[in-house]
Amino acid sequence: MVSTTAMNKAKSSSSVGTFQLAKFGLLALLVASIVNILVLYLGLANVEFPSEFVGGPFGPLAVGPVIINSAVAAIGATLVYGVVNRYSARPNRTFTIIAGVFLVLSFAMFLTPNLSGAPLNVFAILTVMHVTTAVTIIGVLTRATNPEVESR
């Protein structure tokens, strides 16, 4: 009886409810978007980029695609974190490993035809944005299971 109660208590302290998961997912989306916009503007202010990669609604170094890609990453990560949290004994560790694999796979985007011939500084800023997105999303979502965060 005691072990069952202890297990239920341990599970309830580490599991995340749907509302809390959605709240942290939205926070991850907002923070990742803001951080990426800051990285974009810092990069554009300090480095010269060819005009075909900057501006316009669909250039890889424009605000629209940065926000959309950050949102897609945050929503996908939130869904994955919800599944991992439900089925894993160590959800934060498991999620961090999965997110790291997705980060590495996200660099395959650099092989797309619309980035062929892009200068190194375009790849550098996109790499920084991918890494900051991953770090931000992992940092926010893994805090959802931390009891100290819930008490604030």
Side-chain angles (χ1 to χ4, degrees):
M1 182 77 156
V2 173
S3 63
T4 306
T5 306
M7 270 182 36
N8 288 340
K9 189 173 184 179
K11 181 64 176 166
S12 67
S13 68
S14 68
S15 69
V16 178
T18 305
F19 178 74
Q20 181 152 345
L21 182 63
K23 181 173 70 171
F24 276 85
L26 180 61
L27 181 63
L29 186 154
L30 292 173
V31 173
S33 295
I34 291 168
V35 167
N36 274 335
I37 290 170
L38 288 173
V39 169
L40 175 66
Y41 282 132
L42 284 172
L44 293 176
N46 293 310
V47 179
E48 184 97 14
F49 292 99
S51 60
E52 65 267 16
F53 296 104
V54 180
F58 302 110
L61 297 178
V63 173
V66 168
I67 292 173
I68 290 169
N69 288 325
S70 298
V72 168
I75 291 167
T78 302
L79 294 172
V80 169
Y81 187 70
V83 171
V84 167
N85 194 297
R86 182 173 177 97
Y87 296 108
S88 176
R90 299 176 69 187
N92 288 348
R93 181 175 187 269
T94 304
F95 174 71
T96 302
I97 292 168
I98 292 170
V101 169
F102 271 92
L103 173 62
V104 171
L105 292 174
S106 76
F107 294 131
M109 179 274 298
F110 297 148
L111 303 174
T112 60
N114 61 341
L115 287 178
S116 62
L120 188 59
N121 54 6
V122 171
F123 290 113
I125 194 167
L126 289 173
T127 300
V128 170
M129 285 194 284
H130 278 229
V131 171
T132 57
T133 299
V135 169
T136 302
I137 291 171
I138 291 168
V140 170
L141 289 179
T142 56
R143 300 241 188 291
T145 58
N146 187 346
E148 294 176 13
V149 173
E150 293 175 12
S151 64
R152 287 184 194 170

mmCIF file of all heavy atoms in Angstrom, residues 6 19 22 29 39 41 76 95 109 111 142-143 147 150:
data_model
loop_
_atom_site.group_PDB
_atom_site.id
_atom_site.type_symbol
_atom_site.label_atom_id
_atom_site.label_comp_id
_atom_site.label_asym_id
_atom_site.label_seq_id
_atom_site.Cartn_x
_atom_site.Cartn_y
_atom_site.Cartn_z
ATOM 1 N N ALA A 6 3.376 5.944 -2.762
ATOM 2 C CA ALA A 6 4.613 6.651 -3.083
ATOM 3 C C ALA A 6 4.803 6.755 -4.589
ATOM 4 O O ALA A 6 5.233 7.788 -5.095
ATOM 5 C CB ALA A 6 5.803 5.946 -2.452
ATOM 6 N N PHE A 19 -3.226 21.469 -19.494
ATOM 7 C CA PHE A 19 -3.201 22.930 -19.420
ATOM 8 C C PHE A 19 -1.790 23.442 -19.184
ATOM 9 O O PHE A 19 -1.346 24.389 -19.826
ATOM 10 C CB PHE A 19 -4.142 23.428 -18.315
ATOM 11 C CG PHE A 19 -4.119 24.919 -18.164
ATOM 12 C CD1 PHE A 19 -4.739 25.736 -19.099
ATOM 13 C CD2 PHE A 19 -3.451 25.511 -17.103
ATOM 14 C CE1 PHE A 19 -4.696 27.113 -18.981
ATOM 15 C CE2 PHE A 19 -3.402 26.882 -16.968
ATOM 16 C CZ PHE A 19 -4.034 27.694 -17.909
ATOM 17 N N ALA A 22 0.269 23.037 -22.319
ATOM 18 C CA ALA A 22 -0.082 24.073 -23.302
ATOM 19 C C ALA A 22 0.507 25.425 -22.897
ATOM 20 O O ALA A 22 1.006 26.177 -23.747
ATOM 21 C CB ALA A 22 -1.587 24.164 -23.440
ATOM 22 N N LEU A 29 7.073 28.841 -27.447
ATOM 23 C CA LEU A 29 6.867 29.445 -28.764
ATOM 24 C C LEU A 29 7.214 30.929 -28.735
ATOM 25 O O LEU A 29 7.951 31.423 -29.603
ATOM 26 C CB LEU A 29 5.407 29.244 -29.192
ATOM 27 C CG LEU A 29 5.013 29.675 -30.586
ATOM 28 C CD1 LEU A 29 3.813 28.861 -31.040
ATOM 29 C CD2 LEU A 29 4.679 31.131 -30.669
ATOM 30 N N VAL A 39 18.288 37.433 -32.619
ATOM 31 C CA VAL A 39 19.471 36.896 -33.318
ATOM 32 C C VAL A 39 19.469 37.365 -34.771
ATOM 33 O O VAL A 39 20.516 37.776 -35.302
ATOM 34 C CB VAL A 39 19.503 35.352 -33.239
ATOM 35 C CG1 VAL A 39 20.553 34.776 -34.179
ATOM 36 C CG2 VAL A 39 19.748 34.894 -31.814
ATOM 37 N N TYR A 41 18.060 40.107 -36.099
ATOM 38 C CA TYR A 41 18.380 41.531 -36.202
ATOM 39 C C TYR A 41 19.839 41.826 -35.836
ATOM 40 O O TYR A 41 20.467 42.682 -36.460
ATOM 41 C CB TYR A 41 17.427 42.375 -35.361
ATOM 42 C CG TYR A 41 16.085 42.557 -36.046
ATOM 43 C CD1 TYR A 41 14.906 42.347 -35.361
ATOM 44 C CD2 TYR A 41 15.998 42.938 -37.384
ATOM 45 C CE1 TYR A 41 13.677 42.507 -35.979
ATOM 46 C CE2 TYR A 41 14.780 43.099 -38.009
ATOM 47 C CZ TYR A 41 13.618 42.884 -37.308
ATOM 48 O OH TYR A 41 12.416 43.046 -37.932
ATOM 49 N N GLY A 76 5.656 21.352 -32.276
ATOM 50 C CA GLY A 76 6.086 19.960 -32.416
ATOM 51 C C GLY A 76 6.787 19.456 -31.162
ATOM 52 O O GLY A 76 6.523 18.350 -30.686
ATOM 53 N N PHE A 95 13.526 13.628 -23.389
ATOM 54 C CA PHE A 95 13.144 14.701 -24.304
ATOM 55 C C PHE A 95 14.372 15.464 -24.797
ATOM 56 O O PHE A 95 14.456 15.816 -25.981
ATOM 57 C CB PHE A 95 12.169 15.665 -23.628
ATOM 58 C CG PHE A 95 11.848 16.856 -24.479
ATOM 59 C CD1 PHE A 95 11.054 16.720 -25.608
ATOM 60 C CD2 PHE A 95 12.345 18.106 -24.164
ATOM 61 C CE1 PHE A 95 10.765 17.814 -26.405
ATOM 62 C CE2 PHE A 95 12.065 19.200 -24.954
ATOM 63 C CZ PHE A 95 11.269 19.056 -26.079
ATOM 64 N N MET A 109 18.294 20.980 -43.559
ATOM 65 C CA MET A 109 17.641 22.082 -44.258
ATOM 66 C C MET A 109 18.650 22.886 -45.076
ATOM 67 O O MET A 109 18.318 23.470 -46.102
ATOM 68 C CB MET A 109 16.942 22.976 -43.216
ATOM 69 C CG MET A 109 16.231 24.192 -43.744
ATOM 70 S SD MET A 109 17.225 25.678 -43.953
ATOM 71 C CE MET A 109 17.781 26.056 -42.334
ATOM 72 N N LEU A 111 20.746 21.844 -47.003
ATOM 73 C CA LEU A 111 20.988 21.190 -48.284
ATOM 74 C C LEU A 111 19.901 21.504 -49.318
ATOM 75 O O LEU A 111 19.971 21.017 -50.436
ATOM 76 C CB LEU A 111 21.091 19.674 -48.083
ATOM 77 C CG LEU A 111 22.160 19.208 -47.093
ATOM 78 C CD1 LEU A 111 22.070 17.706 -46.877
ATOM 79 C CD2 LEU A 111 23.546 19.613 -47.566
ATOM 80 N N THR A 142 11.239 21.679 -20.266
ATOM 81 C CA THR A 142 11.674 20.809 -19.176
ATOM 82 C C THR A 142 11.417 21.435 -17.813
ATOM 83 O O THR A 142 11.436 20.747 -16.801
ATOM 84 C CB THR A 142 13.159 20.423 -19.302
ATOM 85 O OG1 THR A 142 13.950 21.608 -19.381
ATOM 86 C CG2 THR A 142 13.393 19.557 -20.528
ATOM 87 N N ARG A 143 11.126 22.702 -17.768
ATOM 88 C CA ARG A 143 10.751 23.354 -16.512
ATOM 89 C C ARG A 143 9.304 23.041 -16.122
ATOM 90 O O ARG A 143 8.913 23.274 -14.987
ATOM 91 C CB ARG A 143 10.924 24.862 -16.612
ATOM 92 C CG ARG A 143 12.339 25.271 -16.916
ATOM 93 C CD ARG A 143 12.931 26.116 -15.849
ATOM 94 N NE ARG A 143 14.216 26.689 -16.139
ATOM 95 C CZ ARG A 143 15.357 26.042 -16.257
ATOM 96 N NH1 ARG A 143 15.388 24.755 -16.183
ATOM 97 N NH2 ARG A 143 16.489 26.663 -16.475
ATOM 98 N N PRO A 147 8.708 21.063 -9.807
ATOM 99 C CA PRO A 147 7.765 21.540 -8.805
ATOM 100 C C PRO A 147 8.056 22.945 -8.319
ATOM 101 O O PRO A 147 7.153 23.658 -7.925
ATOM 102 C CB PRO A 147 7.916 20.542 -7.655
ATOM 103 C CG PRO A 147 8.637 19.377 -8.189
ATOM 104 C CD PRO A 147 9.401 19.850 -9.384
ATOM 105 N N GLU A 150 6.195 25.407 -10.502
ATOM 106 C CA GLU A 150 4.765 25.436 -10.258
ATOM 107 C C GLU A 150 4.395 26.280 -9.041
ATOM 108 O O GLU A 150 3.343 26.870 -8.984
ATOM 109 C CB GLU A 150 4.239 24.006 -10.044
ATOM 110 C CG GLU A 150 4.324 23.158 -11.278
ATOM 111 C CD GLU A 150 3.916 21.740 -10.994
ATOM 112 O OE1 GLU A 150 3.369 21.451 -9.922
ATOM 113 O OE2 GLU A 150 4.150 20.902 -11.874
#
